[in-house]
Amino acid sequence: MKKGEATRARIIDETGRQAAIKGFGAVSLGDVAEAVGLSKSGLFKHFDSKEDMELATLDAGFDRFIAFVWDPADDLPPGRPRLESVFERWLDWTEVENAAGGCLIMAASTELDDQPGPMRDLLQVRVRKWRQRLAGEMKALREPPMSDAEAQGVVFQMKSFILGHSELRRLLDDTGARAAARAAFDSLMDRTQQI
Amino acid sequence: MKKGEATRARIIDETGRQAAIKGFGAVSLGDVAEAVGLSKSGLFKHFDSKEDMELATLDAGFDRFIAFVWDPADDLPPGRPRLESVFERWLDWTEVENAAGGCLIMAASTELDDQPGPMRDLLQVRVRKWRQRLAGEMKALREPPMSDAEAQGVVFQMKSFILGHSELRRLLDDTGARAAARAAFDSLMDRTQQI
């Protein structure tokens, strides 16, 4: 990696770290610059604007999520084995990421859902793309494959269980959260294959 | 209602309004006092401390939630008719409340889940009680009634669909969110009754 790319990556890491803790709206250019050992104007050798820096950070956050959650499943057989691996890794992700300031994507979702603009647009594009990838995988659960609408319904439930798990674990310190989510997901997979 | 009680209720309303928008941590005594036409010290004729005021606000928020979501179902037959009404009203609640600064309980859950103390304790007590009430209702879906653990599993899924609905609607502006949540819930009720 060239020096410029390495610096750009460090800026993105630091921006992501701050945004996960306090939200993109509260990220300070001065703090980011200081943490990476640059001046504020030094930042703008790597990004055209603060928004450009934030967009790159959000994009990198999604790339990390995909690498963590999806990539280990890439070599598995399509359909259920792959989806089970993705679900487990997704649960892991919410636990690992919440330990350190929270998941950047979840934080951004809550922060930006009612703020129209390029950040929200990017968030929507990437979340929709992720759901579409899952829906494609769902289709391999059945022969003949289910319709896109049916697959989206299954994705809705899968994502709901991820959210339910986070709430149970974070708010209620419920040690049974993971078992509850897994049981719900297993039953969902069973039904989807059987119909 | 006596004058003192009416003032107390206005303070609670105002605190709840501010907390839903910016979080309990950022609620300013000065702003609350000004909005209800009192001095800061005037607030403390009604509450022992800021925390006391915040606890009363959170408690009142839950009371409002129960009145909105549960009370209309109280006269319905137990089991599925009651649960269907509760689920619909709960979806309504997330839509109505999100329109105005967001749901106080959801906001407090995200804010306080990693802040131990009396507020988090109250939140946990009330959320657990709410889940217990739903679990009790779930049992009327089957004869002989299902176990508490089974009922909690069904409650987990019901709550997950509420969270999934909020995300789909708020972040993705998905007009099919309600239909997706309803289909998932109907299927959950069917299965729970059949087993």
Side-chain angles (χ1 to χ4, degrees):
Chain A
M1 204 189 281
K2 286 185 210 145
K3 182 154 178 283
E5 283 171 32
T7 307
R8 189 182 149 93
R10 278 198 299 131
I11 297 170
I12 285 175
D13 278 355
E14 179 58 27
T15 306
R17 207 185 56 77
Q18 289 194 23
I21 295 170
K22 56 191 179 188
F24 276 103
V27 167
S28 135
L29 284 176
D31 289 349
V32 172
E34 197 185 326
V36 297
L38 291 172
S39 64
K40 273 203 220 181
S41 62
L43 293 180
F44 293 111
K45 287 181 192 145
H46 302 274
F47 300 96
D48 294 338
S49 62
K50 185 167 188 241
E51 185 169 82
D52 180 35
M53 188 174 97
E54 291 176 344
L55 287 167
T57 302
L58 186 57
D59 223 30
F62 268 101
D63 290 344
R64 280 188 57 218
F65 171 79
I66 302 285
F68 188 95
V69 171
W70 183 273
D71 288 359
D74 231 3
D75 294 335
L76 297 173
R80 187 150 175 175
R82 206 177 266 171
L83 284 161
E84 279 177 349
S85 162
V86 166
F87 190 73
E88 286 295 323
R89 296 284 293 177
W90 201 349
L91 293 175
D92 290 343
W93 169 267
T94 64
E95 294 181 4
V96 171
E97 289 292 308
N98 283 335
C103 165
L104 179 64
I105 302 169
M106 280 208 186
S109 300
T110 320
E111 181 184 358
L112 302 171
D113 58 1
D114 39 17
Q115 294 183 36
M119 286 290 278
R120 185 173 190 266
D121 293 345
L122 174 61
L123 199 54
Q124 291 184 336
V125 166
R126 300 262 346 211
V127 170
R128 286 206 182 99
K129 211 165 145 187
W130 170 239
R131 285 181 178 255
Q132 206 53 52
R133 185 190 286 221
L134 292 174
E137 200 60 38
M138 294 295 174
K139 291 180 191 168
L141 287 172
R142 261 207 328 254
E143 192 56 52
M146 63 186 117
S147 72
D148 196 60
E150 277 178 287
Q152 290 288 354
V154 186
V155 172
F156 169 80
Q157 295 201 36
M158 180 177 184
K159 178 60 191 283
S160 293
F161 300 147
I162 296 284
L163 296 169
H165 165 262
S166 281
E167 195 214 37
L168 211 49
R169 205 180 57 82
R170 283 176 63 87
L171 178 61
L172 298 183
D173 295 328
D174 191 320
T175 52
R178 192 146 182 148
R182 203 177 275 147
F185 180 70
D186 284 346
S187 153
L188 175 65
M189 291 293 98
D190 285 349
R191 276 175 282 128
T192 308
Q193 288 190 304
Q194 275 163 14
I195 290 161
Chain B
M1 205 189 284
K2 285 184 209 143
K3 183 156 176 282
E5 283 170 33
T7 308
R8 190 183 149 93
R10 278 198 299 130
I11 297 171
I12 285 175
D13 279 355
E14 180 59 26
T15 306
R17 207 184 57 76
Q18 289 195 24
I21 295 170
K22 56 192 179 187
F24 276 103
V27 167
S28 137
L29 284 175
D31 288 350
V32 173
E34 197 186 325
V36 296
L38 290 173
S39 64
K40 273 203 219 181
S41 61
L43 294 180
F44 293 111
K45 286 182 193 144
H46 302 275
F47 300 96
D48 293 337
S49 62
K50 184 166 188 242
E51 185 170 82
D52 180 35
M53 189 175 97
E54 291 175 345
L55 287 167
T57 302
L58 187 57
D59 223 31
F62 269 100
D63 290 344
R64 279 186 56 217
F65 171 79
I66 302 284
F68 187 95
V69 171
W70 183 274
D71 288 0
D74 231 3
D75 294 335
L76 297 173
R80 187 151 177 173
R82 205 178 267 171
L83 284 161
E84 280 178 346
S85 161
V86 166
F87 190 73
E88 287 295 325
R89 294 285 293 178
W90 202 348
L91 293 175
D92 289 343
W93 170 266
T94 65
E95 294 180 4
V96 171
E97 288 292 308
N98 283 334
C103 166
L104 179 64
I105 302 170
M106 281 209 185
S109 299
T110 319
E111 180 184 359
L112 302 170
D113 58 1
D114 39 17
Q115 294 183 35
M119 285 289 278
R120 183 174 191 266
D121 293 346
L122 174 62
L123 200 53
Q124 291 185 336
V125 166
R126 299 261 350 212
V127 170
R128 287 208 182 96
K129 212 165 145 187
W130 170 239
R131 284 181 181 257
Q132 207 53 52
R133 186 190 287 220
L134 292 174
E137 200 61 39
M138 294 294 175
K139 291 180 190 169
L141 287 173
R142 257 201 339 248
E143 192 54 54
M146 64 186 116
S147 71
D148 196 58
E150 278 178 287
Q152 290 288 353
V154 186
V155 171
F156 168 82
Q157 295 202 35
M158 179 177 184
K159 178 62 192 280
S160 293
F161 300 147
I162 295 285
L163 296 170
H165 165 263
S166 281
E167 196 214 38
L168 211 50
R169 205 181 56 82
R170 283 176 63 87
L171 177 62
L172 298 184
D173 295 329
D174 191 321
T175 51
R178 195 150 180 143
R182 202 177 274 146
F185 180 70
D186 284 347
S187 153
L188 175 66
M189 291 293 99
D190 285 350
R191 276 175 283 130
T192 308
Q193 287 189 307
Q194 275 164 13
I195 291 164

